[in-house]
Amino acid sequence: MKTINDFNFHQKKALIRVDFNVPLNDDHEVTDATRIEAAKPTIIKVLEDGGSCVLMSHLGRPKNKENEFSLQHIVDTASDVLGVHVKFVADCVGEEVSEAVHKLQPGEILLLENLRYYEAETKGDRAFAKQLSKFGDIYINDAFGTAHRAHASTAVIAQFFPENKCFGKLLASEIKHVNKVLNESEKPVTAIIGGAKVSSKITIIENILSKIDHLIIGGGMAFTFIKAQGGDVGASLVEEDKLELSLDIIKKAKKNNVNLHLPLDVVAADSFTEFASTEIDPIDAIPDGWMGLDVGPKTNELFARVISESKTILWNGPVGVFEMEPFAKGTISLGNAIAQATNEGAFSLVGGGDSVAAVKKFSFTNKVSYVSTGGGAMLEMLEGKTLPGIQAIEQ
Ligand code: AMP
């Protein structure tokens, strides 16, 4: 794996695909700079070597170069975070950009305008990628959030740098940590898969079954498993067309010697609101009209015990509707158990979608070993797919 540590950037212009797709408020102010902070180590390494950085990113999904999606809005925050004044050019290809790149001095950073102002970016247009490639000596991909897209700046561009292309620190770190869980893990390995639906997690489960010892299933998706085995789940979330599939997973888990742990009890509610009446029910005896919105106390104990005995832990998906306070306890209890196991030496990775939001909400970020920055990209890695942005550098 070629990383930025294999290059010296002295007097070189690094063309870096970053993921500065940060959330903005109505006044176009950055409300969460995590993604800019995540790219900082790569940018600083180039500058410290005596090179300069040309940064390319997308922001949102513009249709017609709307101002609200201009990367100009993030320049001040990026300058603050990076500790260097970030120059900006109001386009990402063309004469004006060429000139700005040409003038760039070692130690300086230039941010180009939103790549997605051009349809050619998401179409993976080769000519567009070639134009972009003129703006650097060495291409670095550090945009994990878009590594699963075969876009011009994330994958196609790499062919114009046959030797001079590499992973940035963030992307290299994401790859390393997923490998640590899926391919180089210390046993016992436990995967916790939660979230709403079986259908969105099935490929992950199938990919990891041969690599894990324990599979904990929580969240809405557990009810499809319980109903498939004849349990009464009331009005809980069920995917009727996935009942067979869940029985199949149970069989496959057995065949792979994986211990499958389903919830034992639930916090059931009489409506999907914060003000619902609630009661604790066995997972397979939920009254008609009531729905399970969180795992119950016996389940919390079971999950915590399995986690405390694990050396490698993967967490994807909350085990309850953690956005509502009465149904957040299960996810908090799970986070605490993972934090404790991590403190006692286990390796824990949290990745993919809503579990990252939960980890942030309940302040577990610094208590687990690694929190992935890329929702969709991490999901696809866990599914065992080859990501175009990674493949393009490795080729
Ligand atoms: P996912 O993006 O598939 O990981 O799903 C995350 C969503 O699953 C969160 O928004 C949770 O509120 C939701 N969720 C978790 N547990 C349940 C449940 N028991 N019933 C309905 N939704 C749930």
Side-chain angles (χ1 to χ4, degrees), residues 194-197 200-201 218-223 236-237 266-267 272 291-295 316-324 327 331 352-355 379:
K197 292 182 170 176
S200 62
K201 302 290 165 82
M221 59 187 281
F223 300 107
S236 305
L237 192 67
V266 284
V267 179
F272 193 83
M291 58 192 89
L293 297 183
D294 193 10
V295 291
N316 172 283
V319 292
V321 184
F322 72 97
E323 298 92 336
M324 292 193 238
F327 313 112
T331 301
D354 270 330
S355 34
L379 287 181

